[in-house]
Amino acid sequence: MGLARRILDPVANLLLLAAGVSIVLMMVIVVADAVARSLFNGTVPGSQELAANYFMVAVTFLPLACVQRDKSHVIIELFTGWMPPRAVASLDAVVYLACAAGTLVFCYATYFKALAMTRAGEYAVGTVIVTIWPTRWLVVAGALVLALYLLLNAAEEARAAILGRPAPGGARHGHALDVD
Amino acid sequence: MSSITVGILAIAILLLMLAVRVPIAFALASVSVVGMLVIRGPAAAMSVLAEQPYNFIAHWSMSAVPMFILMGTVAYHGGLTQSLYRAARLWLSSLPGGLAVASTAACAMFAAASGSSVATASAMGRIAIPEMLRYRYDPGLATGAVAAAGTLGSLIPPSILMVLYAIFAEVSVSQALVAGVIPGILSAIMFATMIAIRCKLNPALAPPVEEDVSWADRWAVLAQVWPLPVLVLAVIGSMYVGIFTATEAAAGGALMTFVIVALRRGLNWRVIKESVVESVNSTATILFIALGGFLLSRFMAVSGLPAYVAHVVDGMELHWLYIIIGASVVYIILGMFLDSIGIMLLTLPIMLPVLEAAHLNLIWFGVLVIKYLEIGLVTPPVGLNVFVIKSVVGKSVPLETIFKGVMWFIVTDIVTLIILISFPQISLLLPNIMK
Amino acid sequence: ADPIKIVYANYLNPKHITNPVLLRYFQDVERDSKGSLKFEYHFGSSLLSGKDIPGGVRDGIADAGYFVGAYIPTEMPVDNFLAEFSLLNDEPLVMTAVLNELELFNCPQCTDEFKKFNTRFLATYALTPYVYHCRTEMKKLSDFKGKRVRGISAYADLARALGAVPVNVSPDEGYEALDRGIIDCALHSIAAQKARSYGEAAKFVLLDPLGGFLGAALFDLRIDKWNALTVDQRKAIVTNLPQLVTDSIFNYIHEDEEVVAEYTKKGTKFYKADAEFGAFVQDFAKKYTATAVEKGAKVGVKDPEKIAAELTRLADKWRGLLEKNGRDRATFKRLLWEEIYAKVDVQNPIK
Ligand code: NA
Ligand code: NA
C-alpha cells in the first residue's frame, strides 16, 4: 500500500497542478476577452469554448483524486457517530470499494465516448471553431485516478479494521484548513 | 413496479446510503444511474454517464463558480479579510453577534456582485467564517449564517436563476430581477435580527468584545478595511457599466483580488499556491455534488415523481392562498433533494398554467420560487450550500453542526416567506415603478 | 393490452409556442391509434438538454425527441451543414417543406446520420428569419463598423463581413448584455422582443431578414420503437405530421406578426435598413454557399455541392407549388401530405 501511494501521489499532484494552471488561465482569458471587447472592440476568439470545455472540465474532474486523498468528499457522519473505530473502518472499506466500482463504470462509459470523439475530431462552434476532443480525456483521467485512490483507501480501511490502527489520513472527513 | 415506485424507492435508498457514510456526490449519482437502469435499461444508464456529466460541467455559465471561489481564497490567504473583521468587531462591539450580522450584510452585498448562491456562499465562506471562528463564535452560528445568507446570491440581482425563471415564465427579465431586491434585503434584515436576538439571549454564541473600545481604535482600524468593499463595488460597477457580463464578472473579481493583494505587497508564491490549490479542490468537491444533484433531477424526470407531487397543486380550483400553500409544500419537499434548476424545469410546466388560471402575478411568484429554491439549498439531506460551507471549513466543523446552525435561518426564512406571501407589494413595488 | 408509451423530449422553454402544437399532435395520434399509443412528454430540458437529446434517444432515455445538429456538430455534420444554409432561408414556408422532403427522401446522408443515432427523422421546420435587435438605430452599412454583434458560426462570419465584432453571448445572457451595452445588437427571432425581454433593451429591430435556422428536427423516433409499432400505429404517427408541421410554422409566422404589433405600441421601431444593407446581406448569403460547401467538405460531408443543389431544386419546386396552390394553412398541410408524408413507408420496418 505504501508503494501504491508512492506511485499515485505524484500522479494526483500532476492532475492537481493541471487543474491549478487551468483555473488561472480561465481567469486570464475570460478577463482578456471582456476587456478586449469593451475597450478595444476586439475579442479573444474561442474564449468561451476554452473556458467551458477545457478549463471547467479540468478544474472539476482533475482534482477529484486529490479530494479523495484528503478525504474531503462530503459525507454525513451523524448516524455512525456511535460506532467504534474498527466498525467505521470496516464500513468505509465497503463504501470505498463500492464507490471505486461505480467510478470505474463511469470511466468505462466516458472512455468509449472519448475514443469516439477523438476519432471524430470533436469540435465546438462559436465565433470560431475550437477543437475539444482532448478535453474528453480529462474526464477519463480524473475518474481513473479517483477510482485508484478509492481502491487504495478501501484496502487501507480494511487493514485498519483488521489491525485496529487508523488508516493514513484518519477516518474523519474534511481537508485540513482548520482555523485556530 | 411503476416508475413512481422506483422513484420513491430511490429516495429511500439515497437516504440509507447517506446515513452509512457514502460520499454525497457518489450517493446521488449512483442512485440516479441505477434508477435509470431499472426504468430504462442498461444502455440508458451508460448513456447518462457517458454524455451528461461532461455536458453539465463543460458549460460557460458554470465558470462563475470556480472564479468566485478563487476570489474568496485569494482574499483570505492574501490577508484582505482580517482587517475587515477586526474593524467590524470594533465598530459593532455593542451589537450582539456583531460579526455574524456583519457577515450577513457582507453576503447581501456580495450577492449584488455574484449571480449564484453557491458562488456567494463559497466566496463569503472563505472570507467570513474563519474570522468568526477566530473570535470564538459558535461554529453552528458562524457557518449557518454564511450558508443561509449565501442564498441571497440568487435573490439579489444579478441572478442566473431569476433570469431562467423569467425566460421560462415569459415575464420581463428586468422586472423579475429588480423584484428580488427588496425581498433580498428583507431576508438579510430578518437574518440579522434573528442573530442579534439569539446572541442577546445567549451571549455564549458570540463572545462580546471584552476590552474597552476607544473611538481612536475604531478610526485607526478603518483605514485598513478598504480592499474588500472596494473590490465588491468594483465588480458591481464593472458589470453595470458594461465591461463584464454577470458570468465574466466572477473572473474579473478574481483578477482584481490578485491585483489588490499584490498592491498591498501580500502576493507571494505561498499565497498563490494555497489559494489556487484550495480553489480547485473546493470547485471539484462542490461541482461533483452539484453534478450528482443534476443527475438525480434527470432521473426524477424519468420516474415522474416530481410531476406527481406537483400535480397536488394542479386541479386545485381553490382560493389562491391554497394554491400558494400547496406550491410551498411541493417546493419545500422537492428542495430537500433536488437541484434548483432541475426543480424549476420539473415543476414550472405544471405550475405556470395553474397560476395563470388563478390570475396570480408571475413576477411575485418568481420571487417566491427563488426563495423556495434558496431554502432548498440549505435543507437536509441534500443542501448544496451547506456542503459548500463544509468544503470551505474542512474538519473544523462537522456537517451536522452546519445543518443545525442553519435551522434557525430556515425558520426565519419561513417567516420572511409568510410576509412576502401576505404582502405581494413588497416584491412588486420596484417592478411597478419600472413599468 | 396496455398502450405503448412513447417518451418525447425537447429543450424548448415551457411556454414556447411549439409545445401546445406538440400536445395537440400527441392527442391526435393517441386518438387515431385508438388509444394503443400513449405519449409521455418532457419539455424545457427537464429530461434531456439540446446537446443530450440525440444520444438520449439513441440509448433509450427517451423514445422521440427534438434533434438539433448544431448542438453536436461533430456528431451530426450533415444536419449542421444544412444549418449553414440558414442565411438563404427567407421564406420559412417554402424551406419548411423543402427540409422535410430533403431529409425524408432526397438526402441519403441525412437519413444515415439519423440512423447512426438509431433514429428515424420524421419532421422539421425552418424557423422564421433571425433579425438584429439593436440598442441604436442602424440604418447604413457603415453603422455596423466596430459594433459588437451577437452571432456564432455563419452569423459570426456575417458580422465580420459587416465590419462588426462577433460576440458569443448565450441566449440567456442576451437581455442583460443588451441592457448594459455589452453588445450593440443581438441576433434572434423577432419573438425574442417578448420571449427574452429584448424589447426592454433593444428598441430598434432591423426587419431585413438574415435567414431562419434550418435544422430543428422537432419530431424524430427511435428506430426500434418505430419497428415495434403496428402499421396502423405508424399510420397514426405519420398522418398527423402534416398538421404538426403546419401548425408549428404558421404559429411562428403568426407570433412574429403579433410581436411586431405589440412592441410597436411599446415603442420599438421595426424598420428596414437602407437598401445597401439588404443588398450586402443577400450578396453575402449567395457567396456563403461556396463557403458552406467548403466547410461541409472539411467536416466529412460527402458531395456537399450535391446537397446544396438539391436544396435549390426543391426550393424552386415548392415555390412553384405554393404559387400555384396558395399559401394558406389547409393548402400547405394538404401539399405536405401529398408531396411528402403520403410517401413515407409505414408498411415495413426499417432495417
Ligand atoms: Na446576485
Ligand atoms: Na435541500
Side-chain angles (χ1 to χ4, degrees):
Chain A
M1 279 174 231
L3 178 67
R5 254 188 194 271
R6 278 197 297 279
I7 296 169
L8 279 181
D9 278 351
V11 178
N13 287 337
L14 193 70
L15 297 187
L16 190 66
L17 178 69
V21 171
S22 296
I23 200 171
V24 174
L25 284 178
M26 170 154 46
M27 174 181 78
V28 171
I29 285 185
V30 171
V31 173
D33 183 47
V35 169
R37 184 189 59 221
S38 41
L39 302 184
F40 308 108
N41 264 341
T43 53
V44 177
S47 60
Q48 287 197 11
E49 289 73 24
L50 285 175
N53 294 93
Y54 279 83
F55 305 141
M56 273 311 295
V57 170
V59 166
T60 306
F61 289 101
L62 295 185
L64 287 177
C66 278
V67 175
Q68 174 58 30
R69 177 177 62 190
D70 303 342
K71 305 261 175 82
S72 290
H73 287 298
V74 181
I75 68 165
I76 294 172
E77 294 169 296
L78 180 65
F79 304 100
T80 46
W82 55 272
M83 289 166 79
R86 286 174 84 155
V88 171
S90 320
L91 184 58
D92 278 354
V94 175
V95 165
Y96 290 151
L97 200 61
C99 289
T103 308
L104 284 172
V105 175
F106 178 57
C107 256
Y108 177 83
T110 50
Y111 168 78
F112 283 103
K113 183 75 187 179
L115 204 61
M117 291 300 97
T118 305
R119 288 192 180 130
E122 190 185 17
Y123 54 88
V125 180
T127 59
V128 293
I129 287 174
V130 181
T131 301
I132 57 170
W133 61 263
T135 63
R136 297 279 180 178
W137 294 101
L138 298 176
V139 183
V140 184
L144 183 62
V145 182
L146 169 63
L148 294 176
Y149 262 106
L150 284 162
L151 286 174
L152 173 63
N153 287 341
E156 286 171 351
E157 296 297 342
R159 186 174 62 179
I162 293 162
L163 301 180
R165 281 201 307 265
R172 201 168 181 81
H173 279 232
H175 51 92
L177 296 169
D178 296 22
V179 185
D180 185 33
Chain B
M1 194 164 38
S2 82
S3 51
I4 289 178
T5 318
V6 176
I8 294 169
L9 217 59
I11 292 289
I13 293 170
L14 173 68
L15 292 176
L16 184 71
M17 288 173 84
L18 293 178
V20 298
R21 300 168 62 88
V22 177
I24 288 155
F26 289 88
L28 289 167
S30 54
V31 158
S32 314
V33 173
V34 173
M36 187 67 89
L37 178 105
V38 172
I39 297 180
R40 291 273 207 272
M46 288 307 274
S47 179
V48 167
L49 286 174
E51 312 273 344
Q52 299 191 357
Y54 183 89
N55 289 345
F56 175 72
I57 295 296
H59 205 281
W60 164 243
S61 66
M62 225 21 126
S63 66
V65 173
M67 291 295 98
F68 273 127
I69 292 177
L70 184 62
M71 181 173 168
T73 56
V74 176
Y76 175 76
H77 290 290
L80 302 190
T81 59
Q82 294 182 15
S83 47
L84 181 70
Y85 272 80
R86 205 161 56 236
R89 185 166 161 270
L90 298 185
W91 279 84
L92 301 174
S93 57
S94 57
L95 179 66
L99 291 189
V101 171
S103 300
T104 304
C107 279
M109 195 171 160
F110 196 89
S114 152
S116 98
S117 294
V118 168
T120 307
S122 50
M124 284 307 300
R126 205 64 192 102
I127 288 167
I129 294 171
E131 303 302 330
M132 282 190 272
L133 295 183
R134 190 195 308 279
Y135 293 110
R136 303 277 163 219
Y137 269 53
D138 174 72
L141 175 65
T143 53
V146 181
T151 65
L152 298 174
S154 292
L155 203 54
I156 296 172
S159 163
I160 295 166
L161 269 189
M162 192 62 107
V163 171
L164 284 180
Y165 172 84
I167 291 172
F168 290 160
E170 289 207 1
V171 295
S172 154
V173 174
S174 59
Q175 288 184 23
L177 281 172
V178 81
V181 173
I182 297 178
I185 295 170
L186 174 69
S187 302
I189 292 172
M190 295 289 288
F191 287 157
T193 312
M194 180 275 287
I195 293 167
I197 294 173
R198 273 189 75 205
C199 294
K200 180 84 190 167
L201 297 177
N202 180 7
L205 288 173
V209 183
E210 297 290 342
E211 73 262 38
D212 273 340
V213 182
S214 76
W215 282 99
D217 294 339
R218 286 183 173 147
W219 289 114
V221 75
L222 210 55
Q224 298 155 27
V225 305
W226 62 271
L228 223 45
V230 164
L231 192 60
V232 173
L233 288 176
V235 173
I236 296 172
S238 63
M239 250 183 323
Y240 282 89
V241 301
I243 296 175
F244 294 127
T245 65
T247 306
E248 293 164 346
L255 189 69
M256 283 189 265
T257 314
F258 270 111
V259 170
I260 289 181
V261 171
L263 287 177
R264 297 176 79 233
R265 300 175 187 282
L267 198 62
N268 56 43
W269 178 238
R270 186 191 61 80
V271 169
I272 295 174
K273 189 183 153 201
E274 284 182 359
S275 313
V276 167
V277 167
E278 203 182 306
S279 306
V280 296
N281 278 331
S282 275
T283 303
T285 311
I286 293 164
L287 290 186
F288 194 30
I289 296 173
L291 170 61
F294 167 76
L295 293 180
L296 185 67
S297 292
R298 286 292 173 83
F299 159 63
M300 280 292 150
V302 168
S303 79
L305 185 57
Y308 182 78
V309 174
H311 274 300
V312 166
V313 188
D314 199 0
M316 285 169 67
E317 283 178 39
L318 295 169
H319 191 260
W320 67 270
L321 191 57
Y322 292 103
I323 294 176
I324 292 295
I325 291 171
S328 310
V329 173
V330 167
Y331 280 110
I332 299 271
I333 291 173
L334 295 179
M336 291 163 69
F337 298 97
L338 300 183
D339 74 307
S340 305
I341 295 177
I343 294 174
M344 280 210 295
L345 292 173
L346 293 170
T347 59
L348 287 183
I350 298 161
M351 294 285 183
L352 290 174
V354 180
L355 298 164
E356 283 176 326
H359 302 291
L360 293 177
N361 184 303
L362 289 186
I363 290 191
W364 168 65
F365 189 73
V367 171
L368 301 183
V369 168
I370 301 299
K371 200 72 201 148
Y372 287 126
L373 298 180
E374 309 266 50
I375 292 176
L377 285 176
V378 291
T379 50
V382 182
L384 191 55
N385 256 22
V386 171
F387 303 148
V388 166
I389 297 301
K390 174 67 186 167
S391 93
V392 167
V393 296
K395 291 178 191 175
S396 55
V397 185
L399 192 63
E400 301 76 52
T401 309
I402 310 177
F403 269 125
K404 262 183 235 155
V406 124
M407 280 303 166
W408 290 92
F409 292 86
I410 295 176
V411 172
T412 310
D413 257 345
I414 289 172
V415 176
T416 308
L417 265 166
I418 292 172
I419 297 173
L420 292 176
I421 291 170
S422 314
F423 304 100
Q425 52 273 40
I426 295 174
S427 311
L428 295 176
L429 180 67
L430 293 181
N432 285 338
I433 290 173
M434 272 180 67
K435 266 191 205 157
Chain C
D2 280 346
I4 295 181
K5 189 167 74 174
I6 297 177
V7 179
Y8 174 85
N10 75 21
Y11 64 89
L12 302 173
N13 287 328
K15 292 183 83 174
H16 194 280
I17 49 169
T18 302
N19 289 335
V21 180
L22 281 161
L23 289 181
R24 177 183 169 181
Y25 171 73
F26 298 156
Q27 280 171 5
D28 290 348
V29 174
E30 286 173 5
R31 181 200 60 213
D32 289 355
S33 72
K34 305 198 176 59
S36 67
L37 291 178
K38 181 130 191 57
F39 281 90
E40 173 187 319
Y41 51 88
H42 301 267
F43 298 154
S45 296
S46 60
L47 180 61
L48 293 162
S49 70
K51 259 187 192 175
D52 296 331
I53 288 171
V57 170
R58 175 194 59 208
D59 299 324
I61 297 173
D63 303 311
Y66 188 118
F67 280 48
V68 174
Y71 284 120
I72 45 167
T74 322
E75 291 168 271
M76 298 191 78
V78 184
D79 196 62
N80 200 42
F81 170 66
L82 293 179
E84 292 277 10
F85 292 91
S86 300
L87 276 161
L88 291 171
N89 165 24
D90 52 0
E91 292 169 284
L93 267 192
V94 171
M95 292 312 285
T96 294
V98 168
L99 273 185
N100 278 305
E101 183 166 353
L102 181 82
E103 300 218 38
L104 276 166
F105 301 113
N106 300 44
C107 171
Q109 281 186 74
C110 303
T111 315
D112 287 349
E113 189 168 278
F114 275 89
K115 219 171 186 174
K116 274 190 203 143
F117 282 98
N118 194 15
T119 297
R120 188 191 210 316
F121 167 91
L122 283 171
T124 184
Y125 48 64
L127 271 62
T128 50
Y130 283 163
V131 294
Y132 279 134
H133 304 244
C134 298
R135 285 161 53 87
T136 53
E137 184 162 3
M138 316 279 267
K139 270 286 208 200
K140 299 191 297 288
L141 205 48
S142 56
D143 289 341
F144 278 89
K145 272 248 144 36
K147 289 289 191 298
R148 296 181 288 255
V149 169
R150 176 173 178 256
I152 62 167
S153 197
Y155 292 103
D157 293 334
L158 173 65
R160 279 186 277 259
L162 286 167
V165 182
V167 179
N168 189 357
V169 175
S170 80
D172 294 340
E173 281 186 324
Y175 162 75
E176 285 172 292
L178 277 172
D179 186 44
R180 308 213 184 97
I182 288 167
I183 51 175
D184 298 295
C185 298
L187 180 79
H188 229 291
S189 59
I190 290 173
Q193 279 279 309
K194 182 179 183 175
R196 295 187 176 274
S197 302
Y198 286 5
E200 291 167 39
K203 296 283 182 198
F204 300 92
V205 176
L206 262 84
L207 283 180
D208 298 82
L210 301 173
F213 184 71
L214 305 178
L218 90 157
F219 189 81
D220 311 292
L221 188 65
R222 193 168 66 256
I223 289 175
D224 303 341
K225 201 83 187 181
W226 171 266
N227 288 349
L229 302 180
T230 66
V231 172
D232 285 338
Q233 287 169 332
R234 288 185 207 136
K235 269 188 194 155
I237 286 179
V238 173
T239 49
N240 285 298
L241 287 172
Q243 181 84 50
L244 172 67
V245 173
T246 303
D247 285 352
S248 299
I249 187 60
F250 274 89
N251 253 6
Y252 266 94
I253 295 169
H254 182 66
E255 172 86 351
D256 280 3
E257 289 164 1
E258 282 204 330
V259 167
V260 170
E262 184 183 341
Y263 277 77
T264 301
K265 274 186 219 144
K266 290 190 173 173
T268 298
K269 182 172 176 186
F270 294 88
Y271 64 104
K272 286 219 172 190
D274 290 354
E276 52 167 3
F277 178 80
F280 181 90
V281 171
Q282 269 192 351
D283 186 52
F284 178 86
K286 221 174 271 163
K287 284 185 190 147
Y288 199 76
T289 306
T291 316
V293 163
E294 209 174 288
K295 274 189 182 172
K298 237 188 255 169
V299 297
V301 180
K302 275 169 274 160
D303 304 325
E305 58 285 318
K306 236 188 200 167
I307 298 180
E310 194 60 15
L311 265 174
T312 318
R313 187 186 72 79
L314 287 171
D316 289 341
K317 170 189 160 175
W318 277 93
R319 228 172 267 125
L321 273 174
L322 295 184
E323 204 60 50
K324 206 170 90 196
N325 295 282
R327 292 174 169 259
D328 58 292
R329 271 181 194 245
T331 311
F332 189 69
K333 185 183 140 187
R334 176 174 60 82
L335 289 173
L336 284 179
W337 174 250
E338 288 170 358
E339 295 290 323
I340 304 173
Y341 287 103
K343 298 174 186 168
V344 171
D345 177 8
V346 293
Q347 300 294 332
N348 303 300
I350 298 168
K351 272 171 233 113

